[in-house]
C-alpha cells in the first residue's frame, strides 16, 4: 500500500470458527518505506612503519544508509593498487571487510624495497542483505595512503 491513512475492519472469530457479530473500524497510518540505499561516507587512511623493510597501509571504511545511520553487516570490496619500483608494473589485489557499527578496516603490508611510497585503495562495491549500494551518493570512493 502507498503511504496514507486507511480504515481497517477487524472481525473476531472464536475457536469454533464462529465470527463475532460486532466489528470495529480502526484507522491505520501507513508510512513510506524505510531507507533502501547505502553509500561510503568516509575513507580514513593510516600508515604505520612495521620495520625497516615493511609498512602497513590501512583504510577505515565508513558506510552509512541514506539517512546517515551507520550500516552494520555490509561487505565492502576494495581494490588495492601498488606500483613496483623496478619496472613500474601495476599490482592490484582485492580485499574485503564487513562493517560493524558502520565501519571496517582493510589493510596491506607493503615491502619498502619493492613498492613505490604510496598505495591506492578504491571501493569497488558494497553489498548488504537489505540495502543497495548507491556509489553516486558516496562522498569518497578512493584514497591514497602514503608511506609514513
Amino acid at each position: 500500500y502507498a503511504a496514507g491513512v486507511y480504515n481497517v475492519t477487524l472481525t473476531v472469530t472464536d475457536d469454533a470458527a464462529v465470527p463475532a457479530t460486532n466489528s470495529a473500524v480502526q484507522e491505520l497510518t501507513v508510512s513510506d518505506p524505510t531507507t533502501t540505499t547505502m553509500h561510503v561516507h568516509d575513507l580514513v587512511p593510516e600508515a604505520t612503519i612495521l620495520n625497516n623493510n615493511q609498512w602497513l597501509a590501512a583504510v577505515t571504511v565508513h558506510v552509512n544508509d541514506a539517512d546517515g545511520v551507520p550500516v552494520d553487516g555490509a561487505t565492502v570490496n576494495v581494490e588495492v593498487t601498488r606500483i613496483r619500483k623496478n619496472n613500474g608494473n601495476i599490482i592490484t589485489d582485492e580485499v574485503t571487510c564487513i562493517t560493524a557499527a558502520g565501519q571496517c578496516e582493510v589493510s596491506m603490508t607493503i615491502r619498502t624495497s619493492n613498492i613505490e611510497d604510496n598505495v591506492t585503495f578504491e571501493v569497488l562495491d558494497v553489498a548488504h542483505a537489505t540495502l543497495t549500494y548507491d556509489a553516486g551518493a558516496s562522498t569518497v570512493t578512493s584514497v591514497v595512503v602514503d608511506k609514513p
Side-chain angles (χ1 to χ4, degrees), residues 1-122:
Y1 288 92
V5 177
Y6 297 89
N7 288 326
V8 178
T9 302
L10 175 67
T11 302
V12 178
T13 303
D14 67 13
D15 291 341
V18 178
T21 56
N22 294 324
S23 294
V25 176
Q26 178 67 43
E27 190 175 272
L28 174 69
T29 302
V30 176
S31 301
D32 285 325
T34 59
T35 298
T36 60
T37 63
M38 62 184 166
H39 62 276
V40 176
H41 174 69
D42 199 7
L43 297 174
V44 180
E46 183 178 350
T48 307
I49 294 287
L50 298 176
N51 57 47
N52 287 339
N53 299 320
Q54 296 179 325
W55 61 284
L56 183 70
V59 173
T60 301
V61 182
H62 296 260
V63 178
N64 289 0
D65 68 16
D67 294 330
V69 176
V71 175
D72 287 331
T75 300
V76 182
N77 296 313
V78 178
E79 183 178 74
V80 183
T81 304
R82 290 129 23 242
I83 300 174
R84 285 199 184 275
K85 284 182 177 180
N86 63 350
N87 60 14
N89 285 347
I90 296 173
I91 307 163
T92 60
D93 286 297
E94 193 171 318
V95 294
T96 62
C97 62
I98 299 174
T99 59
Q103 59 185 326
C104 62
E105 182 179 275
V106 290
S107 64
M108 182 151 300
T109 300
I110 307 300
R111 291 186 55 104
T112 305
S113 61
N114 295 346
I115 302 298
E116 294 291 339
D117 292 340
N118 59 53
V119 178
T120 302
F121 288 77
E122 181 178 2

